[in-house]
Amino acid sequence: MKKIFLFFMAAICIGTLSAQDARFFKDGNLISSAYVNSPEGLRIRSDSTLSAKKIGLLTDRQKVKILNLGDEATIDGIKSNWVKILLPYESVKNEFYVGGWVFGGYLTPEPKKFSTAGWTSEDLRNFLSRFTWCENRIIFDFQKDGSYFEGRLESGWGGAGTYTPIVEKGDMKARLKVSYGDETYEESRAFTVGIDIVDEWHIILTAADGNKKFNLSPAFMNSYYCDGMVNFLSNSSSDELHAYNALFYSFSEEMFKEVIRIKKDEDYDFDYYQKLILMGIELNYNQEYMEKFSAAWDR
């Protein structure tokens, strides 16, 4: 009877293990983060069911901090677990860890290789709209709904309108229809800019006449957004939140190295780093930071 009982318990354990997607474990432990693998994006829900409220949308290749696994499910023919992830903005705002749920079938332990091969116009739209771009004091904001904005930081100059991404035979461009206005004049015009994607966090926009090139990086690289990060969410506007999306990609560590090189480490106070830890952002090149990060997350 005892043997039968032990066999029965072993079967239960095996069944329990089989309900855990092995991709989310390494050396028997739950991995700490994963990456979105869905060009269309991945919905965040309030609970681990498709009927739960939609509370957010992740973009392709975005990094997420894993809190724990939920029930197994089969969605779109894919079997995996629901995954509870950290919601960085909400966590900083509430000063404690806040989570939401995504389906794990569209997460991978490592980011897929970045490539523009075979891209369509919709792929270009998804790429441009991930976050706000910036060169020096000028920002360029492509929204997923087709709206467009450009402006000069800390000034009244700017323009708003729409854009249409175009991919033809491998060439990428965007057709813009923008109205520029200030106190003295207003002008509406349509034009096309060429787009050269250098790498995942650096693109070049070429003006319609070919005489001007803008070398763009995520807006968070700009000191305006860096300074605002210290008081994150206390008075952030929607364009700032869009700019912060760049923090949640595999290249963010390299980006932080450059930001800190420009701003100098002493410009950042303890509160700044505490907020990054609360957002689940790892800076593996900084040993002191990672010791604090590990202590905070070893709970």
Side-chain angles (χ1 to χ4, degrees), residues 156-173:
W157 179 88
T162 61
Y163 76 100
T164 302
I166 303 169
V167 177
E168 296 177 335
K169 298 180 180 179
D171 291 331
M172 301 184 187
K173 52 190 175 182

Side-chain angles (χ1 to χ4, degrees), residues 193-213:
V193 296
I195 299 173
D196 179 25
I197 299 177
V198 179
D199 53 42
E200 193 176 1
W201 60 305
H202 178 205
I203 64 175
I204 298 174
L205 295 187
T206 305
D209 58 10
N211 293 325
K212 175 65 175 177
K213 289 188 175 182

Side-chain angles (χ1 to χ4, degrees), residues 191-239:
F191 55 98
T192 301
V193 296
I195 299 173
D196 179 25
I197 299 177
V198 179
D199 53 42
E200 193 176 1
W201 60 305
H202 178 205
I203 64 175
I204 298 174
L205 295 187
T206 305
D209 58 10
N211 293 325
K212 175 65 175 177
K213 289 188 175 182
F214 300 89
N215 293 279
L216 309 184
S217 296
F220 181 71
M221 293 284 289
N222 186 280
S223 60
Y224 175 85
Y225 289 99
C226 293
D227 292 340
M229 186 66 180
V230 176
N231 297 307
F232 187 69
L233 281 184
S234 60
N235 55 0
S236 296
S237 62
S238 60
D239 64 305

Side-chain angles (χ1 to χ4, degrees), residues 4-20:
I4 295 176
F5 175 76
L6 291 174
F7 176 82
F8 179 72
M9 292 302 296
I12 291 176
C13 293
I14 292 171
T16 301
L17 291 173
S18 66
Q20 302 290 312

